[in-house]
Amino acid sequence: MNISAMLKSFCDAVEQRNGKAFAELFTEDGVYHDVFYGAFKGRAKIAEMIDDWFYRTATDFRWDMHAPVSDGHALYARYTFSYRSTLPEANGARVMFEGVAIMTLRDGKIAEYHEVANTAPAFVDLNFAPERIARIFAKQGAALKARPEMARHLG
């Protein structure tokens, strides 16, 4: 398995709104845990996440992976991710954040994807009211508490 080629295909599929190609990078029972939208299980749901959920309120995606590290079973990579928001309050702003992709690999495919991201700058770029940002972070905190297995990824 060529990790660099897989990560390039991963990013290209998102940028090209190609959910089918993106989902093919995952095992049949793969799960993508999105920092905003939650878990999507199976290739059909993962493809839907890209083709519908990601592009529902955004366009012009850019995703770059940096400094990947893998032992063949786990893959970690820093990333930068940005898009142009179509939400009315964002006024067409370009939103960017950084994070770490955490992948479990099986048979050359992604079995599970998690991410840890600094989303606060994106919410400011989106012109979200402080109360809305507080509700989002409270929801993310509750979701993390409900998944204690993520603690191992966060140190």
Side-chain angles (χ1 to χ4, degrees), residues 1 6-7 10 22-31 46 75 102-113:
M1 164 183 19
M6 182 180 72
L7 291 176
F10 183 102
F22 188 81
E24 286 298 318
L25 297 168
F26 286 77
T27 60
E28 286 287 337
D29 62 344
V31 182
I46 291 169
L75 169 61
I102 305 160
M103 299 177 221
T104 303
L105 306 174
R106 184 178 353 117
D107 300 324
K109 302 273 186 190
I110 303 165
E112 199 157 350
Y113 174 94

Side-chain angles (χ1 to χ4, degrees), residues 1 9 15 18 20 24 29 58 61 72 78 100 110 130-131 135 142 146 153:
M1 164 183 19
S9 295
E15 292 175 1
N18 189 342
K20 183 176 186 322
E24 286 298 318
D29 62 344
F61 284 85
R78 290 182 309 105
V100 175
I110 303 165
E131 299 79 21
R135 282 193 308 272
H153 296 299

Side-chain angles (χ1 to χ4, degrees), residues 44-110:
K45 290 292 185 188
I46 291 169
E48 177 186 331
M49 177 192 67
I50 298 301
D51 293 337
D52 182 23
W53 289 82
F54 272 33
Y55 279 84
R56 188 176 291 176
T57 58
T59 188
D60 192 23
F61 284 85
R62 298 288 176 263
W63 199 337
D64 294 299
M65 296 282 186
H66 313 281
V69 176
S70 179
D71 65 359
H73 301 287
L75 169 61
Y76 295 83
R78 290 182 309 105
Y79 68 79
T80 51
F81 182 76
S82 69
Y83 57 87
R84 189 157 312 283
S85 177
T86 59
L87 291 170
E89 63 264 55
N91 298 315
R94 184 149 210 53
V95 179
M96 191 280 290
F97 55 93
E98 297 176 294
V100 175
I102 305 160
M103 299 177 221
T104 303
L105 306 174
R106 184 178 353 117
D107 300 324
K109 302 273 186 190
I110 303 165

